[in-house]
Amino acid sequence: MSILVTGGTGYIGSHTVVELLNENKEVIIIDNLCNSSKDVLEKIEKITGKKCKFYEADIRDEKALEKIFNENKIESVIHFAGLKGVGESVEIPLEYYDNNVYGTIKLLEAMKKFGCKKIVFSSSATVYGDPGTPKYVEEMGRGKASSPYGATKAVIEEMLENLYASDKEWTISILRYFNPIGAHESGLIGENPNGIPNNLMPYIQKVAAGELKELSVFGNDYDTKDGTGVRDYIHVVDLAIGHVKALEKLTKPGVYIHNLGTGCGYSVLDIVNTFERVNNVKVNYKIAPRRPGDLAMYYADPTKAKKELGWEAKRGIEEMCRDSWNFVKNK
Ligand code: NAD
Ligand code: UDP
């Protein structure tokens, strides 16, 4: 029996595939390579010494999905495939709904048709909206989405809940990620966005590498310890292990929602200073105006994941910063 990983050559998907292979699971990847490259497959093999089956296809392609389900015995799906740019989603919302929501519908239809009713879904802390308190607990429920991207995650969560209500054979794990950064310790896989990055760590990496002049720190007048925005950064390998735990522990049908975060908040300047210190490199920055839509501070309450999945993040920000830079140096 195999695990189908959609978006498995992407940033979080590739790290999860490594952890699954390390656990001797059989893995099949479907990815249309719209935001990743086939080279990742060799890197995964180099790290684990194991191969996985790869289908270059779109999850919206019904025929391709049927072929995959026909050719393999798939027991569960980990669903990463989707578009993830918050700013981009404002520019091209229809593409976001098409790829993320419609893509998920096609995937769920194929799963249903082939009697595969176990899915782990990549959600995001963004579904909490702005609950007015920085510590996010699963019971708070979903808030108002601040972007079309966030709205697609909230809609998919709701759709999965509706699906379970209609058919109690489904086992559905919704994992709400906080801010994944870092890379595999081998330096072989990591996050490699094209063009000018939107997120903090890829931007810092490019400044440190001399590809971009300086980081703009978006606001230093928030009500936080040093005035800059605070987030819960989580090492991508810890995040990947969270998926393996979710598959392993959630054996009874139901809908399970878990935060995957460390429970610690770090400011933009904490990250810049730690990156400089552990890597002995300079990260030039300037203070810039606040970025519209940003919240001052939020972080996870990771208690539920610890209790129910037996999972907790083990890697701290020093490791996150070190591994992020190691990946860049290795390229
Ligand atoms: P990524 O872009 O690196 O990976 C997504 C992968 O999906 C890519 O390899 C891409 O080629 C593929 N893909 C996209 N649309 C597809 C389609 N229609 N059919 C087949 N393949 C398709 O992104 P990531 O950072 O690894 O994120 C994975 C998931 O986690 C996404 O759903 C994202 O929304 C979610 N997430 C990410 C973050 C983050 O900060 N990285 C935070 C919260 C949630
Ligand atoms: N940030 C910043 N400069 C950048 C990118 C991000 O100061 O070039 C800040 C941002 O305001 C937030 C934090 O870094 O406080 C994390 O931002 P990111 O976009 O990585 O994640 P998100 O805010 O979407 O969780």
Side-chain angles (χ1 to χ4, degrees):
M1 293 293 263
S2 306
I3 299 161
L4 177 66
V5 181
T6 76
T9 45
Y11 174 47
I12 306 170
S14 57
H15 289 82
T16 303
V17 169
V18 165
E19 297 307 321
L20 290 169
L21 292 173
N22 283 342
E23 296 285 319
N24 293 318
K25 307 283 187 207
E26 275 174 41
V27 178
I28 296 161
I29 295 177
I30 171 173
D31 201 301
N32 66 2
L33 302 179
C34 72
N35 198 36
S36 57
S37 126
K38 234 177 164 167
D39 305 347
V40 168
L41 297 168
E42 281 162 37
K43 311 273 172 62
I44 291 173
E45 196 182 335
K46 206 164 170 191
I47 294 169
T48 61
K50 292 174 190 146
K51 273 190 194 298
C52 55
K53 215 163 170 181
F54 175 67
Y55 290 87
E56 183 177 340
D58 196 294
I59 54 164
R60 291 164 295 184
D61 180 345
E62 202 175 309
K63 291 267 170 307
L65 282 179
E66 291 212 352
K67 180 171 152 62
I68 296 172
F69 277 94
N70 266 321
E71 287 179 0
N72 304 280
K73 281 199 160 47
I74 296 169
E75 64 176 329
S76 53
V77 175
I78 306 185
H79 178 33
F80 295 104
L83 302 178
K84 63 164 180 176
V86 173
E88 187 186 58
S89 76
V90 178
E91 308 294 321
I92 49 168
L94 298 183
E95 277 87 337
Y96 271 68
Y97 282 95
D98 183 46
N99 209 314
N100 296 3
V101 180
Y102 177 71
T104 304
I105 293 173
K106 297 319 283 180
L107 175 69
L108 294 168
E109 281 174 356
M111 290 177 69
K112 188 175 163 196
K113 184 166 176 188
F114 287 86
C116 170
K117 294 187 179 177
K118 184 166 186 177
I119 185 165
V120 178
F121 171 62
S122 298
S123 192
S124 162
T126 187
V127 301
Y128 288 104
D130 181 3
T133 164
K135 189 171 176 171
Y136 292 1
V137 188
E138 290 86 347
E139 290 71 50
M140 284 173 173
R142 291 180 284 272
K144 187 178 166 3
S146 59
S147 69
Y149 165 73
T152 66
K153 293 292 177 193
V155 167
I156 296 168
E157 284 198 0
E158 193 143 354
M159 194 164 76
L160 290 167
E161 288 169 354
N162 297 157
L163 180 63
Y164 175 71
S166 75
D167 176 356
K168 299 283 188 320
E169 287 179 0
W170 283 85
T171 305
I172 295 168
S173 162
I174 292 171
L175 299 177
R176 292 180 177 161
Y177 312 157
F178 281 69
N179 288 53
I181 59 171
H184 192 266
E185 60 174 10
S186 63
L188 290 171
I189 53 173
E191 189 171 23
N192 195 10
N194 292 326
I196 298 182
N198 293 308
N199 296 112
L200 180 63
M201 184 52 84
Y203 208 106
I204 289 178
Q205 288 167 316
K206 286 200 190 271
V207 172
E211 289 172 43
L212 291 171
K213 188 168 150 256
E214 61 190 358
L215 170 75
S216 292
V217 173
F218 296 143
N220 68 345
D221 56 354
Y222 286 110
D223 185 15
T224 58
K225 61 180 215 180
D226 59 20
T228 66
V230 168
R231 297 287 181 273
D232 184 338
Y233 296 94
I234 172 167
H235 196 295
V236 66
V237 172
D238 279 325
L239 192 66
I241 293 169
H243 293 72
V244 180
K245 292 280 185 197
L247 271 189
E248 200 178 285
K249 297 278 176 179
L250 304 176
T251 48
K252 275 203 253 133
V255 181
Y256 305 91
I257 301 183
H258 293 99
N259 286 338
L260 293 186
T262 64
C264 305
Y266 289 100
S267 72
V268 175
L269 292 182
D270 283 335
I271 299 293
V272 169
N273 294 332
T274 308
F275 194 96
E276 287 188 326
R277 180 168 51 79
V278 300
N279 296 319
N280 201 19
V281 286
K282 187 91 194 94
V283 178
N284 296 316
Y285 70 86
K286 63 167 188 213
I287 303 300
R290 291 180 179 193
R291 184 170 65 178
D294 269 356
L295 297 179
M297 166 157 85
Y298 61 86
Y299 47 88
D301 180 340
T303 315
K304 195 171 175 224
K306 186 171 181 191
K307 205 169 137 210
E308 297 181 358
L309 306 180
W311 171 91
E312 66 184 320
K314 297 235 159 58
R315 295 157 180 82
I317 53 163
E318 298 198 341
E319 234 169 317
M320 299 182 211
C321 290
R322 194 198 60 207
D323 291 340
S324 294
W325 183 235
N326 187 37
F327 172 65
V328 175
K329 281 192 302 182
N330 225 3
K331 266 198 290 179

